[in-house]
RNA sequence: CGGGGCGUGGCGCAGUUGGUAGCGCGCGUGCUUUGGGAGCAUGAGGUCGCACGUUCGAAUCGUGUCGCCCCGACCA
């Protein structure tokens, strides 16, 4: 019995999250520490995310390509900051053959099959990609290059959590090359906006957009933009990043082009990515103690129909009606599932699909057939409605948009209720006291890394974003740093982060 | 890498002073059931993480080792 449900968010947020991911059938642990199996239900969610994002990339002029998993170690030696950022968490391939052990019991690495140069399993692909770009780019006419790839990467993280931080994860990484700084800047901001729109319109997760501080920016970037969401335990979660790499990689790889004026110049670059971490952010934004709550636009199954009937004769009546409504829904473009399992009780099925986050359930039993009406239940609010059978499909279709909007409104209201503006250190420290989050804390900062580090040391909060536009007009006014009292140009957003 | 926990049927666990492994859930079959996580009957399923040691005898004791999970430190 006890293994049917999940812990409540209140009792133990971390356990709640973990159990939810497992019980909602999104993912499972694998044999290797920190790696996860993404199960069909979780992968379907990822596929829906991919499709939406991929369409948005294409619509902004990008094309897909694929670069190799293995990268020569020497490539990483070329960009100093980049190496420093990733060296500590690399998986390295050193050999290419296994042989039987001398005692015949099992396999061993063949010492004679050592690679001349070790290969790194990509933690990110800037280096392989720039190795190619250098060959591809001769002239300003070869620019811009606007390529994205869908791939897996490996980062040997010390501490992992399903979806939020796994040793291997799936993501997309865009890598673009431009003739000018301004064009690269526009690209980085275009993608930032794509990410913001995806989070808000598809995931129903409102995000802050902004610049990362020097401490938080990508290893090898000139500057980094990000989207940041707020979880239900009031921590920040970085949901996507877009980096302006300046000429750093072009200089490291010698990527030059001849301008229209005939001068040799270094290329400007961007890179940007979102990963399966988005699934973690989505879970943490909307789900509840009954399991996953999935925004309809991304839900693998948008409507589940539960036909009821205590015997064969009753099922012979309800099943065809369920099938008919399912077909109507399919025709309306809705992803639908009819749960005809006979051994499971209706109550079991309700809980089962609620755990898996299906936005709308249609209950269809003898009573409904008799009255010519079906019962629809909303996953997000639990509300039930009774609707004439002729209108059920359209009603369920329309509910999708309602729920999508409602989830977003709710998440936005939650974020606003957990965004605090403070001006004194006492208030600031009080918000971050203890184990919990603290929400988004909008405060003045003197702009130095030293101050950010000191604040982080004292409170565990870091700067999540330096807003590009003030969240409210007064955020853009000058003030004094919440810690040092030194002058500050604008407020920035602090939070404890995942 | 530090702290904690755990390795026993698919999952969750019990197993006393060492005596040859059990419970719940799940699974198969049958019957009765089905409107918020059904019941009864019956059946299948385990080299007790691994190695070495102590012993007539080890899931149990000792030593070593491997792995996983959680909390930190680290970090897209």
């Amino acid at each position: 019995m006890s293994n049917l449900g999940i812990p409540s968010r209140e009792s133990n947020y971390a356990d709640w999250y973990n159990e939810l991911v497992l019980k909602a059938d999104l993912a499972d642990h694998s044999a290797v520490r920190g790696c996860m199996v993404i199960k069909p239900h979780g992968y379907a969610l990822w596929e829906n995310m991919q499709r939406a994002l991929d369409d948005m990339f294409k619509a902004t002029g990008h094309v897909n390509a694929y670069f190799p998993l293995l990268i020569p170690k020497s490539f990483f030696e070329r960009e100093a900051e980049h190496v420093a950022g990733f060296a500590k968490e690399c998986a390295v391939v050193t050999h290419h053959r296994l042989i039987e052990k001398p005692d015949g019991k099992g396999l061993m690495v063949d010492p004679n099959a050592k690679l001349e140069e070790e290969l790194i399993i990509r933690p990110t692909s800037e280096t392989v990609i720039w190795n190619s770009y250098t060959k591809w780019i001769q002239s300003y006419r070869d620019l811009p290059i606007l390529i994205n790839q869908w791939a897996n990467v490996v980062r040997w993280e010390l501490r992992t959590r399903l979806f939020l931080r796994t040793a291997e994860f799936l993501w997309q990484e865009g890598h673009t090359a431009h003739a000018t700084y301004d064009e690269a800047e526009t690209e980085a901001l275009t993608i930032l906006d794509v990410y913001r729109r995806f989070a808000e319109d598809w995931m129903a997760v409102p995000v802050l957009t902004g610049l990362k501080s020097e401490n938080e920016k990508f290893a090898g970037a000139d500057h980094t933009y990000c989207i940041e969401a707020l979880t239900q335990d009031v921590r920040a979660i970085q949901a996507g990043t877009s980096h302006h790499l300046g000429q750093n990689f072009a200089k490291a790889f010698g990527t030059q082009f001849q301008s229209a004026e005939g001068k040799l110049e270094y290329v400007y670059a961007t890179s940007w990515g979102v990963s399966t971490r988005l699934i973690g952010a989505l879970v943490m934004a909307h789900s509840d103690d009954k399991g996953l709550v999935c925004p309809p636009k991304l839900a693998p199954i948008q409507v589940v129909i539960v036909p009821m009937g205590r015997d064969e004769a009753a099922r012979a009546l309800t099943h065809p009606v369920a099938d008919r409504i399912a077909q109507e829904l399919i025709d309306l473009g809705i992803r639908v599932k009819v749960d005809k399992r006979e051994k499971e009780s209706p109550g079991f099925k309700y809980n089962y699909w609620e755990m898996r986050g299906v936005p709308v359930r249609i209950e269809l039993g003898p009573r409904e057939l008799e009255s010519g009406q079906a019962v629809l239940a909303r996953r997000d609010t639990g509300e039930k409605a009774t609707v004439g059978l002729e209108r059920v499909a359209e009603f369920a279709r329309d509910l999708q948009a309602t729920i999508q909007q409602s989830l977003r409104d709710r998440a936005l209201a939650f974020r606003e209720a957990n965004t605090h503006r403070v001006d004194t250190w006492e208030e600031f420290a009080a918000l971050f006291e203890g184990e919990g989050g603290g929400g988004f804390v909008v405060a003045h900062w003197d702009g130095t890394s030293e101050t950010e580090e000191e604040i982080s040391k004292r409170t565990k909060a870091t700067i999540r974003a330096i807003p590009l536009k003030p969240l409210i007009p007064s955020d853009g006014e000058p003030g004094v740093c919440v810690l040092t009292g030194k002058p500050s140009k604008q407020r920035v957003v602090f939070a404890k982060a995942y």
Side-chain angles (χ1 to χ4, degrees), chain A residues 427-491:
Chain A
E427 294 171 281
F428 188 95
L431 282 164
F432 289 118
E433 218 168 322
E435 285 304 301
F440 284 142
V441 176
V442 188
H444 282 288
W445 162 61
D446 65 18
T448 67
S449 291
E450 296 71 40
T451 299
E452 182 180 3
E453 278 159 24
E454 182 61 26
I455 289 175
S456 161
K457 214 167 78 183
R458 293 197 196 180
T459 64
K460 296 197 174 166
T462 50
I463 295 173
R464 301 321 303 159
I466 303 166
L468 300 181
K469 277 190 309 203
L471 304 176
I472 58 173
S474 62
D475 287 352
E477 293 166 7
V480 297
C481 176
V482 74
L483 180 69
T484 63
K486 291 180 187 161
S488 155
K489 283 183 284 197
Q490 65 169 101
R491 288 177 190 265

Side-chain angles (χ1 to χ4, degrees), chain A residues 9 46 48 149 190 223 368 388 395 399 413 495:
Chain A
R9 286 162 291 181
W46 177 240
N48 289 340
Q149 83 165 345
T190 297
H223 55 276
E368 282 72 23
F395 192 91
L399 253 189

Side-chain angles (χ1 to χ4, degrees), chain A residues 26-145:
Chain A
L26 298 176
D28 199 0
H29 293 286
S30 77
V32 176
R33 188 194 69 85
C35 292
M36 68 174 168
V37 177
I38 304 177
K39 296 178 76 175
H41 195 58
Y43 199 78
L45 186 48
W46 177 240
E47 285 179 313
N48 289 340
M49 289 179 160
Q50 279 186 300
R51 199 166 300 126
L53 282 164
D54 203 61
D55 287 346
M56 293 169 97
F57 298 149
K58 302 269 170 67
T60 45
H62 301 86
V63 292
N64 286 332
Y66 186 78
F67 294 86
L69 171 74
L70 299 175
I71 305 179
K73 187 184 70 180
S74 57
F75 283 17
F76 279 89
E77 292 160 355
R78 301 196 193 168
E79 215 292 332
E81 268 189 46
H82 192 63
V83 197
F86 287 102
K88 288 169 291 183
E89 51 187 41
C90 286
V92 183
V93 178
T94 57
H95 292 75
H96 63 82
R97 187 182 299 131
L98 296 173
I99 52 174
E100 206 167 283
K101 283 182 184 166
D103 64 7
K105 292 179 186 164
L107 296 169
M108 59 180 274
V109 172
D110 182 353
N112 296 318
K114 191 167 173 4
L115 296 176
E116 214 160 290
E117 177 176 1
E118 291 93 341
L119 300 172
I120 312 302
I121 299 177
R122 62 184 165 212
T124 179
S125 301
E126 275 78 5
T127 57
V128 247
I129 288 180
W130 280 87
N131 181 63
S132 284
Y133 283 5
T134 302
K135 292 193 276 186
W136 297 351
I137 297 167
Q138 313 288 327
S139 149
Y140 71 96
R141 291 179 213 159
D142 297 324
L143 296 171
I145 294 178

